[in-house]
Amino acid sequence: MESQTNMPEFAVGELAGAIKGVLREAFGRVRVRGEITECKRYPSGHIYLSLKDADAKLEAVVWKMSVRNLAVQPENGLEVIATGRIDTYADRSKYQLVIDRLEYAGEGALLARIEKLRLALMAEGLFAPERKRAIPLLPARVGVVTSEKGAVLQDIRTTIARRFPRPILLWPVQVQGQGSAELIARAIDGMGALPPHLRPDVLIVARGGGSLEDLMAFNEEVVVRAVANCPIPVISAVGHETDTTLIDFASDRRAPTPTAAAEMAVPARIELLADLSQRGGRLHQAVQARLERARGSLLRAERGLPAMPDILASLRQRLDDRGERLRQALPGLLAAKRAALTRLHLPHPREGIAARRGALALLAERLRGGFASGQARRRAAPVLARFNEGPVLALLRERRTALGGLAARLESVSYQAVLARGFALVRDARGRAVTHAAEVKPGAALTIAFQDGEAHVRAEKPRPDTAQGSLF
C-alpha cells in the first residue's frame, strides 16, 4: 500500500547537492574568527584544521594552491580570522570552511605569538649581547634591503649623501603582505653571499611606519634568523621610534627611523674633519712639549759636561808631548842597542886559534925544560911511554887533525883570504860594505880594507870615458 504524501523524493546525492547549493547561496564568502586546533599538513600539500571558540567547532581546509598565498601560516593555538566559503563533504555528510586567507585576530593574538617566538629565539642565544658586532667607522659600501618605492629609500640616500657620500647597494623587496617575509630573508642572505669585493660593509634593513599587521613580516622567524646569521653588521630600522620588531633584537644596532639608521651607518664628514683637526692640534702640542722637555734635558746635560774645545786642546797637547818624547827616545834606544851589540862582539876565530897556539907552545917549552934533568926524565919515562903508546895520544892526534881541517875551512871562507888574493873591501862612513858604484855619492868618505891594512879615501865624480864609471 503506497503512502499518500505530497513531499518530493530525493536521492542521497541529490539531497547533498541541494544542501551544498543552499549553503553556498546563503553564505557565499564568510569571515570566521576562532582558535586553530587539530592543524595538520598532509603530504599532498593540503592543510586540514579546525576553528573553535567557546560554543562550537568548525572544520576547515586550505588547499595546496592557497597555502603559499597565506599571510599567516596556520599553527595550533593561533587566534585568527579565516576568510573563505562554506562547502560540504558529501561522503561524510559534513560541512567545512574552505580557507583562502588567514589573518591574526587582533593585536593581542599577534603580540602573544610574537612574545612566544621572542622567548624561543632568546633561549637559543640569537639575541645574546656577545653576538653584536661593531659598525665600521667609514664603510666603503652601504647595503639597503627595503622597498624601492616610498620615502624610506629616499631618506637613506639623502642622509648618506649629506653626511658622507658612499655607494649604496639596494636589494628591493616587498616589505608587507603575503610572502614578504621570505623575500626579505632571501635578500638578507643574498647580501651576505656576495663576493667580498661587492659585499657591503654594513647592511640597513628598513621600512616605514605602519600597523602591527603591516610590520609582521619583520617578526617572522625566517627573517629574524636571516638577520642573526648575516655575516654583515646589520642596522634595523623598521617603523617609527615606538615600533619594535623581533629583528631589532637580532640586529647589531637598532635605529628608531631609517634616517637615523643612515646616520649610524656613515659618520658626518664635517665632524670627522673637526675631530681630525682637534686630534692633530693635540698631537702637535704633545710633540712640541716633548721636544721642549728633551731640549731642556739636553741643555742641563750640556752644562754638566766639560767644554769640547778644551777637551780637544788638552788631548792635542798630550799627543804632541807623546810624539816629541817618542822622537827623543828613538835615537837613544838605537844607541843603547848598538852599544849592547858592540859589547856582544866576539873576536875573530883566527885570533882565538892564534892565542891557543901561543899557549900551547908555551906549555911545550915548559914541558921540554922539565924533562931536561935525567931524574925527571927517568921518572917521566914510564908515563911518557904509556902516553906515547896509549889512547890519549891517539885522541890528541885525532883532535889536532880535526882542528886543522876546521882551520882550513875557516880560512877558505874568510874574506881575509880573498884580500890576500889582491881584492879589496870598500866600506862607507857607517862601516857598511859597498857593492855597487851607484850607491856612492860624489864626495862620500870611504874606507878600503887590504890584506895588510886600511886606507881612507873620498869619492869623486865618475869618468866620462869609462862605461862603468870610476869611484876615484
Side-chain angles (χ1 to χ4, degrees):
M1 178 178 174
E2 298 181 0
S3 61
Q4 300 295 324
T5 178
N6 293 327
M7 296 178 62
E9 184 178 298
F10 295 97
V12 175
E14 292 176 344
L15 182 59
I19 294 172
K20 177 183 290 191
V22 172
L23 290 174
R24 286 184 175 182
E25 183 178 353
F27 292 97
R29 288 182 61 81
V30 295
R31 287 167 54 87
V32 181
R33 179 171 181 161
E35 180 183 346
I36 296 177
T37 62
E38 301 173 358
C39 181
K40 185 176 182 181
R41 189 185 298 268
Y42 279 72
S44 61
H46 309 316
I47 299 176
Y48 294 89
L49 54 89
S50 296
L51 296 174
K52 71 173 184 177
D53 59 13
D55 299 322
K57 181 173 70 171
L58 172 64
E59 293 187 2
V61 62
V62 184
W63 302 125
K64 178 181 178 180
M65 64 184 65
S66 300
V67 171
R68 60 176 174 268
N69 296 324
L70 294 179
V72 177
Q73 294 299 313
E75 296 179 10
N76 288 328
L78 288 182
E79 186 178 357
V80 296
I81 297 176
T83 302
R85 55 186 174 80
I86 298 296
D87 200 356
T88 62
Y89 183 43
D91 288 353
R92 295 188 180 180
S93 299
K94 68 177 182 179
Y95 65 92
Q96 61 186 4
L97 177 63
V98 180
I99 300 173
D100 56 24
R101 182 179 178 186
L102 274 180
E103 55 187 303
Y104 293 104
E107 291 190 0
L110 291 178
L111 293 175
R113 179 179 178 276
I114 293 171
E115 181 63 16
K116 180 181 177 182
L117 180 59
R118 186 186 72 83
L119 293 175
L121 296 178
M122 184 173 62
E124 292 185 24
L126 265 65
F127 305 154
E130 56 268 17
R131 291 175 58 91
K132 307 298 182 182
R133 293 160 296 186
I135 305 300
L137 175 63
L138 186 59
R141 187 179 293 105
V142 179
V144 178
V145 174
T146 189
S147 173
E148 61 182 339
K149 300 177 182 179
V152 172
L153 179 60
Q154 186 61 31
D155 290 344
I156 293 176
R157 285 175 172 170
T158 303
T159 304
I160 292 178
R162 172 175 51 84
R163 290 175 63 83
F164 205 119
R166 297 282 90 185
I168 297 176
L169 180 61
L170 173 65
W171 194 305
V173 293
Q174 177 184 334
V175 293
Q176 72 181 59
Q178 297 178 358
S180 58
E182 287 75 14
L183 294 176
I184 295 171
R186 284 201 295 267
I188 296 173
D189 293 338
M191 283 287 193
L194 290 174
H197 66 283
L198 297 177
R199 184 185 306 168
D201 296 326
V202 63
L203 179 62
I204 299 176
V205 180
R207 70 146 288 161
S211 64
L212 183 59
E213 290 81 1
D214 295 336
L215 304 180
M216 274 307 296
F218 298 92
N219 289 312
E220 295 294 338
E221 181 178 358
V222 63
V223 179
V224 178
R225 291 190 180 276
V227 171
N229 297 327
C230 183
I232 307 170
V234 178
I235 301 176
S236 62
V238 178
H240 298 297
E241 186 172 357
T242 56
D243 297 324
T244 302
T245 59
L246 291 184
I247 71 167
D248 294 335
F249 299 99
S251 61
D252 299 288
R253 291 286 297 275
R254 175 189 179 270
T257 62
T259 301
E263 293 177 350
M264 292 180 183
V266 296
R269 188 171 183 273
I270 296 178
E271 294 177 1
L272 285 180
L273 291 175
D275 182 68
L276 184 62
S277 177
Q278 182 181 8
R279 291 175 182 270
R282 293 170 58 187
L283 180 61
H284 179 72
Q285 293 177 0
V287 171
Q288 290 296 328
R290 182 67 178 271
L291 289 176
E292 289 298 330
R293 289 195 298 270
R295 186 178 293 108
S297 299
L298 186 60
L299 290 176
R300 289 192 296 272
E302 181 184 7
R303 288 193 294 269
L305 292 175
M308 187 59 65
D310 296 342
I311 296 177
L312 292 177
S314 175
L315 293 176
R316 190 178 296 110
Q317 184 176 1
R318 184 181 301 177
L319 179 62
D320 293 341
D321 180 61
R322 296 296 188 274
E324 183 63 25
R325 291 171 60 184
L326 181 61
R327 283 191 296 272
Q328 295 177 0
L330 187 58
L333 178 62
L334 291 177
K337 295 298 182 181
R338 186 177 293 108
L341 288 176
T342 303
R343 288 194 298 271
L344 292 176
H345 179 69
L346 297 177
H348 196 276
R350 179 181 299 157
E351 299 176 359
I353 293 174
R356 295 296 180 85
R357 285 179 176 175
L360 184 60
L362 180 61
L363 290 175
E365 286 295 328
R366 292 176 61 186
L367 184 61
R368 293 190 189 95
F371 282 108
S373 61
Q375 184 179 1
R377 187 180 302 109
R378 286 192 300 271
R379 292 178 181 176
V383 178
L384 290 176
R386 289 194 303 269
F387 181 79
N388 291 332
E389 296 177 0
V392 177
L393 183 59
L395 178 60
L396 182 60
R397 292 175 180 174
E398 181 182 353
R399 293 295 177 84
R400 186 181 290 109
T401 304
L403 182 61
L406 291 175
R409 291 177 59 186
L410 181 61
E411 187 69 23
S412 64
V413 298
S414 174
Y415 75 94
Q416 296 290 342
V418 177
L419 296 179
R421 292 198 298 269
F423 292 92
L425 174 61
V426 181
R427 294 190 184 93
D428 58 10
R430 296 183 180 181
R432 294 177 303 179
V434 178
T435 59
H436 296 83
E439 299 178 1
V440 181
K441 296 181 180 180
L446 301 175
T447 301
I448 301 176
F450 298 98
Q451 179 183 8
D452 55 350
E454 295 180 349
H456 298 281
V457 298
R458 187 170 299 276
E460 297 180 356
K461 294 182 180 180
R463 297 179 182 178
D465 58 343
T466 59
Q468 299 295 328
S470 176
L471 296 178
F472 311 106

Short mmCIF file of all heavy atoms in Angstrom, two decimals, residues 50 54 71 182 293 356 395:
data_model
loop_
_atom_site.label_atom_id
_atom_site.label_comp_id
_atom_site.label_asym_id
_atom_site.label_seq_id
_atom_site.Cartn_x
_atom_site.Cartn_y
_atom_site.Cartn_z
N SER A 50 40.85 22.93 12.38
CA SER A 50 39.53 23.28 12.92
C SER A 50 39.63 24.63 13.58
O SER A 50 40.66 25.01 14.14
CB SER A 50 39.08 22.23 13.95
OG SER A 50 38.90 20.97 13.33
N ALA A 54 34.27 29.17 22.29
CA ALA A 54 33.68 28.58 23.50
C ALA A 54 32.41 27.80 23.22
O ALA A 54 32.00 26.96 24.04
CB ALA A 54 33.40 29.69 24.52
N ALA A 71 49.09 34.92 4.34
CA ALA A 71 49.94 35.86 5.08
C ALA A 71 50.34 35.30 6.42
O ALA A 71 51.38 35.66 6.97
CB ALA A 71 49.22 37.19 5.26
N GLU A 182 59.58 35.88 3.42
CA GLU A 182 60.54 35.05 2.68
C GLU A 182 61.39 35.90 1.75
O GLU A 182 62.61 35.66 1.60
CB GLU A 182 59.80 33.97 1.89
CG GLU A 182 59.23 32.85 2.74
CD GLU A 182 57.98 33.28 3.49
OE1 GLU A 182 57.42 34.35 3.16
OE2 GLU A 182 57.56 32.56 4.42
N ARG A 293 110.82 69.44 26.52
CA ARG A 293 111.40 68.70 27.65
C ARG A 293 112.74 68.09 27.28
O ARG A 293 113.70 68.12 28.06
CB ARG A 293 110.42 67.61 28.10
CG ARG A 293 109.18 68.14 28.80
CD ARG A 293 108.44 67.02 29.53
NE ARG A 293 107.99 65.99 28.63
CZ ARG A 293 106.80 65.99 28.03
NH1 ARG A 293 105.95 67.00 28.23
NH2 ARG A 293 106.44 65.00 27.23
N ARG A 356 195.46 30.28 21.27
CA ARG A 356 195.58 28.89 21.75
C ARG A 356 196.93 28.29 21.33
O ARG A 356 197.58 27.54 22.09
CB ARG A 356 194.43 28.06 21.20
CG ARG A 356 193.06 28.49 21.73
CD ARG A 356 192.96 28.27 23.24
NE ARG A 356 191.68 28.69 23.76
CZ ARG A 356 190.60 27.91 23.77
NH1 ARG A 356 190.69 26.68 23.29
NH2 ARG A 356 189.48 28.35 24.27
N LEU A 395 193.86 10.04 20.67
CA LEU A 395 192.76 11.02 20.71
C LEU A 395 193.29 12.42 20.46
O LEU A 395 192.65 13.21 19.75
CB LEU A 395 192.10 10.95 22.09
CG LEU A 395 190.95 11.94 22.33
CD1 LEU A 395 189.82 11.71 21.32
CD2 LEU A 395 190.44 11.81 23.77
#
